[in-house]
Structures are given as C-alpha cells and as structure tokens.
Amino acid sequence: MKSKSDEELIELIVQNHRPALEELYDRYVKLIYSFSIKITKGDKEKTKEIVQQVFLRLWTTKSTYNPSQGQFVNWLLTITRNISIDLIRKEQKYKGTVQLELEEWQQMQGLQADDVQQQVTRNLLKQQIQEAKRHLSEPQQRLINLLYWEGYSLSEIAELEQKPLGTIKSRLHQALKKLRNNFNGKIGGVRHGE
Amino acid sequence: MGNKCDNLSLYIINELTNHDKKQFEDHLLKCAKCQQELKSIQETWQMLSYDVEETEVPESLKSQVMDFVFEENKFLKHEEKIEAEPISFKERILSVAKRHFSPISTAVTAILIICLIGFYWNSLQLKDTIKSLENKAADPTQIVTTYSLTGQSLAASATGSAYLLQEGTETSLVIALNNMPITKGNEVYQVWLLKNGNRQSAGTLIPDQNGSGLITYRLPPEYSFEDIGITLEPNPFNTQPQGQKVLGT
C-alpha cells in the first residue's frame, strides 16, 4: 500500500478496497484535519464530522476524481473546503448552497508538485502564502479571510463591510493579483504548474 | 472587454451566475490575457488552503472515520450477507425496520396507518348508510290511500277494502273483498276505475267458496282515478261494464 501512488489507491477504492482508503487517510488526514480545524475555528466535533464526510465522499463518489486534471491533494482540499463551508453555512443558516466540488474541480488546474517532496512542499507553500498575505492591506486580508475561511459570499461581505458590491469585487481582484505576484516572486523559477 | 476581464476573480471563486459564467467562458477563449491570468490566480486561490497550522490528529479519529464510512455503506453489503449471518428473525426484522424507518418516516407511516383505519371505518359507516338507504328504497310499500267498499243490490252484505300502494315509483291497487255471492258459470266480478265519467277495467276476480277474493292491479304510470266500482259481469273479457254494479266506494 505504502508504495502505491494516490492514483493507484483511488483505483483500488473504486474496487471497494478498504486498505486503500485507510492508506489515503494516513497520508492526508493531517492536512485535512488541520484545514478543517482552522475553518471550524478549533471545533473538534465539527472537524471530526468534516473529516468523516470527506472520506465518505472519497469512498462513495469515486468517479469525480480524474488524475489527468491535476494533483490529488488539491482535489481533496477542494472537497474538504466545500464540505466545511456547507457545514458552516448550514449551522449559521445562511441561504444558498455551495456549488458542487466537481464544478470547481473542472476549473481547477492543479499543481504538479513532486510527490516525494510533498510534505516539504506543503510547508514551503504555507510559508509562501503567509508571506504573500503580509503584503495585503488590512481590508484585503479581511476579505480573503471572510471569503475563503468563513464561507461568506461577496454580497454578504459587502454588507458586513458596508461597501458597494463593486468595491468588494475589485478589492478581491486586487488582493488575488497581489497574492499571486508576491507568491510568484518568492518562488521564483520553480513556479508551480509551469 | 475590460468589464469581462474583471469577472476573472469571480469566475475563480465560483461566484458568477450560470449566465455570466457562460459569457466569461466565451470571453476566455478569445482573451489571451485572461487565459494567462486564470491559471496563476487560480493557483493562488488554491494555495490559500495551505495557510494552516499543522495540528495533531487525535489517535481515535481514524476508527471513528472508518466506522462512519463503512457503517454508512453497510446496508448494501448487509443486504447481501443477511442469509449468512446467524441473527434471529426478530433482530433481522428490527434491524430492517430501523434501517428503513427514520423517526420522521415512522411518524409519517403512523399517520398514514391512522388515516387508513379512519378511511376504512368511514367506508364501513358509509356502506351501512347506503344499505339502509337501499332497504328504505326497496321495501317500503307504502299505503297511500285506503278506500272502503260497500256492497249493494245482490251483494248487499259484501264488504271490501282497497289500498293504493306506493312501491318505489310504481303504484298498485289492492282490493280485498268479503262475503261476495259465489259466481256462476262464466260470471266474474270486474273492477272498474272511474275518472271523469270514464271507466277503465282493473281486472277481474272470482271469489273463493267463502266469498273472499283479492285482486292486485298495477296502475299505469301517472294514472289517477276518482272512484272504484265493481260489477258482476256475465263474461270475463268486457272492456265496458255490462252487468250490474255490486260494490263501490
């Protein structure tokens, strides 16, 4: 099991091979758990619920992962974020539903990170993103936080910030561009996906 | 063009309406700048997920997750295996019931059963009502009018009663006679119904040895008459009275 690639494990899961799911759990639970505990602000019960749902989805909706479209871990994180935000919104009784991960997945062109270096890469990425975030203005940081981690929609954020929706939209655009520029600058020649 | 490029970020975070999304995708095919930007900004958006502190995962989580995943999927397999498993019939019924009836569906089922019983009871009641209505309609030969007939001339001692019976939509006339003189030869007593001076035959009868006789005549629909007369006729097939009147109302 340990020597198998993520794609091979997914293949085995399609054939209802339980040890393959357990192997994927061992590989990614820390990432999923860390992500979920952040998005739930440290709520261990909700985090457990999210992790359970993520692995249930892995076990039941096997066909949605297509290796040709990108790296498995990004797909996994996209699912995790969707499930988390779905849960958060349900609990906060927000209106509107979260789009299927498939849709988002289809837009996604994942990173081609080196499998061997995954853990290292992850830590590196974390440092890079945190560094890049420092270049954002206070309102830009707040926007990214509300949007990405709290699951608010842009119009809800416009309401919270008491700003026109157009302002929030362009603030988002500026924020993402600034993140991207600082991110690329730091990584330099080893930019992912190229 | 400029406006459409502005939708790039919204496209990446999936906040465009289906219509706007389609438009942006069309735009994307033509706009080299957006194509270039899309990839890098999308990556940046995804990078945000790495902005987490690594957290220790509780040891017990794995079994909780695996139990959850395989419990959720259990039925399918359980269903296949059910014969092999040495569980009692009662347990099996209970587990099937548990699986198929959530509290809500149990409540719904209970309500349906109650309704069903209600409907059944109601239909029994209805059946009874209908039956009694049918009986009422079927039996009740009701006496609408009673006439008493008195004898005269040669049958002066004769008495009789006539009843107009209503049976559904049909009306019958029943006449019972007593102490009638015995007829001789072809002689018959004939009943006549009188209306506006016209007489219509309502049948003939020959009394028994005791001088008693009974005749039933079904009246034509919507028929009415004023008086009843009985004559002694020399033969049975007269359409107008020939003999003398012996009884009348």
Side-chain angles (χ1 to χ4, degrees):
Chain A
M1 268 320 133
K2 298 257 178 245
S3 61
K4 296 215 184 308
S5 71
D6 293 344
E7 286 72 26
E8 286 170 319
L9 291 176
I10 286 290
E11 276 304 303
L12 287 169
I13 286 173
V14 171
Q15 296 156 31
N16 286 332
H17 193 65
R18 178 172 172 161
L21 188 73
E22 298 199 16
E23 175 62 24
L24 276 184
Y25 177 92
D26 294 338
R27 277 183 203 180
Y28 293 109
V29 71
K30 194 163 193 175
L31 183 63
I32 294 171
Y33 191 83
S34 303
F35 183 94
S36 310
I37 205 132
K38 174 164 180 174
I39 212 165
T40 61
K41 297 180 175 143
D43 186 322
K44 286 185 178 162
E45 260 311 299
K46 278 186 214 160
T47 301
K48 182 183 96 184
E49 216 176 297
I50 291 167
V51 178
Q52 285 177 330
Q53 291 296 339
V54 169
F55 282 94
L56 179 64
R57 195 170 293 185
L58 271 184
W59 186 249
T60 52
T61 61
K62 294 140 187 165
S63 55
T64 53
Y65 171 63
N66 178 358
S68 71
Q69 285 181 290
Q71 205 190 16
F72 177 74
V73 66
N74 286 326
W75 180 69
L76 199 55
L77 283 170
T78 307
I79 293 180
T80 307
R81 180 167 179 269
N82 283 335
I83 287 173
S84 307
I85 285 175
D86 213 7
L87 183 84
I88 291 170
R89 288 195 172 191
K90 240 180 243 166
E91 298 208 340
Q92 292 174 348
K93 293 191 176 122
Y94 281 138
K95 285 178 187 148
T97 52
V98 173
Q99 278 81 2
L100 290 175
E101 83 275 5
L102 185 63
E103 261 179 59
E104 214 167 312
W105 174 239
Q106 280 165 347
Q107 298 179 9
M108 249 170 71
Q109 296 161 308
L111 298 175
Q112 307 297 311
D114 185 354
D115 273 0
V116 187
Q117 297 284 334
Q118 255 185 24
Q119 187 62 45
V120 180
T121 309
R122 245 186 258 161
N123 287 332
L124 181 67
L125 288 172
K126 185 182 100 186
Q127 283 170 22
Q128 303 302 340
I129 197 76
Q130 285 179 347
E131 181 59 31
K133 266 174 73 178
R134 258 176 237 135
H135 290 86
L136 297 182
S137 70
E138 180 63 32
Q140 284 173 332
Q141 284 193 24
R142 207 162 52 231
L143 169 63
I144 293 296
N145 196 46
L146 287 170
L147 186 65
Y148 193 91
W149 292 104
E150 312 251 342
Y152 287 93
S153 70
L154 283 185
S155 40
E156 284 165 342
I157 292 169
E159 219 169 285
L160 280 172
E161 298 276 322
Q162 298 182 318
K163 288 278 188 305
L165 185 57
T167 306
I168 300 299
K169 281 179 183 174
S170 71
R171 186 181 290 172
L172 171 69
H173 197 63
Q174 295 309 316
L176 286 177
K177 268 189 1 197
K178 206 189 261 186
L179 276 178
R180 189 263 323 266
N181 294 341
N182 285 293
F183 199 60
N184 284 343
K186 285 289 168 189
I187 294 178
V190 290
R191 197 186 140 204
H192 290 257
E194 292 290 325
Chain B
M1 269 315 184
N3 285 343
K4 285 189 177 161
C5 293
D6 285 349
N7 273 346
L8 178 66
S9 301
L10 299 184
Y11 179 73
I12 287 165
I13 67 164
N14 210 359
E15 274 219 25
L16 287 178
T17 62
N18 282 342
H19 175 257
D20 290 350
K21 193 166 158 180
K22 184 82 184 55
Q23 281 205 325
F24 182 80
E25 280 167 354
D26 289 343
H27 163 76
L28 195 59
L29 294 173
K30 293 174 274 175
C31 181
K33 188 175 169 251
C34 279
Q35 285 170 24
Q36 218 180 0
E37 293 267 280
L38 176 70
K39 190 168 186 178
S40 62
I41 294 185
Q42 203 156 43
E43 281 173 14
T44 306
W45 176 248
Q46 284 168 21
M47 279 313 98
L48 290 169
S49 64
Y50 291 95
D51 184 17
V52 295
E53 297 306 314
E54 282 213 350
T55 312
E56 276 311 307
V57 182
E59 284 282 314
S60 60
L61 186 67
K62 186 169 180 177
S63 63
Q64 287 174 320
V65 169
M66 292 301 147
D67 284 354
F68 177 79
V69 171
F70 295 103
E71 275 300 310
E72 285 289 308
N73 272 275
K74 219 172 172 183
F75 331 117
L76 305 165
K77 287 180 187 166
H78 190 70
E79 224 109 82
E80 290 161 16
K81 269 195 252 167
I82 205 153
E83 279 162 34
E85 279 172 21
I87 53 170
S88 78
F89 182 71
K90 195 180 157 194
E91 276 171 340
R92 210 183 301 171
I93 294 288
L94 277 177
S95 83
V96 168
K98 238 185 203 167
R99 233 183 293 140
H100 292 283
F101 294 98
S102 70
I104 290 174
S105 70
T106 308
V108 169
T109 310
I111 289 167
L112 284 177
I113 289 172
I114 290 166
C115 288
L116 210 60
I117 292 170
F119 286 138
Y120 183 61
W121 185 81
N122 210 7
S123 87
L124 278 184
Q125 293 290 104
L126 203 60
K127 220 183 238 172
D128 283 349
T129 312
I130 289 171
K131 204 177 245 173
S132 75
L133 277 174
E134 274 173 353
N135 287 345
K136 224 178 252 173
D139 67 354
T141 317
Q142 280 183 317
I143 297 174
V144 183
T145 321
T146 313
Y147 304 89
S148 79
L149 301 165
T150 41
Q152 57 192 67
S153 65
L154 65 105
S157 62
T159 57
S161 304
Y163 309 100
L164 205 56
L165 301 181
Q166 182 86 38
E167 202 174 330
T169 54
E170 289 177 343
T171 314
S172 306
L173 180 66
V174 178
I175 298 171
L177 299 170
N178 294 303
N179 296 325
M180 299 288 282
I182 309 294
T183 54
K184 298 183 274 296
N186 281 338
E187 281 181 344
V188 290
Y189 290 105
Q190 189 157 7
V191 181
W192 305 94
L193 302 178
L194 287 83
K195 189 184 181 185
N196 304 329
N198 296 319
R199 292 174 176 79
Q200 190 192 325
S201 171
T204 56
L205 79 137
I206 296 168
D208 64 13
Q209 291 152 337
N210 304 322
S212 303
L214 186 76
I215 183 173
T216 305
Y217 178 68
R218 181 162 291 180
L219 295 171
E222 310 292 324
Y223 185 79
S224 65
F225 61 90
E226 290 150 9
D227 281 303
I228 304 169
I230 296 174
T231 55
L232 180 63
E233 295 296 321
N235 58 68
F237 306 110
N238 289 339
T239 53
Q240 285 300 313
Q242 251 181 342
Q244 70 179 134
K245 188 176 175 186
V246 292
L247 273 104
T249 50

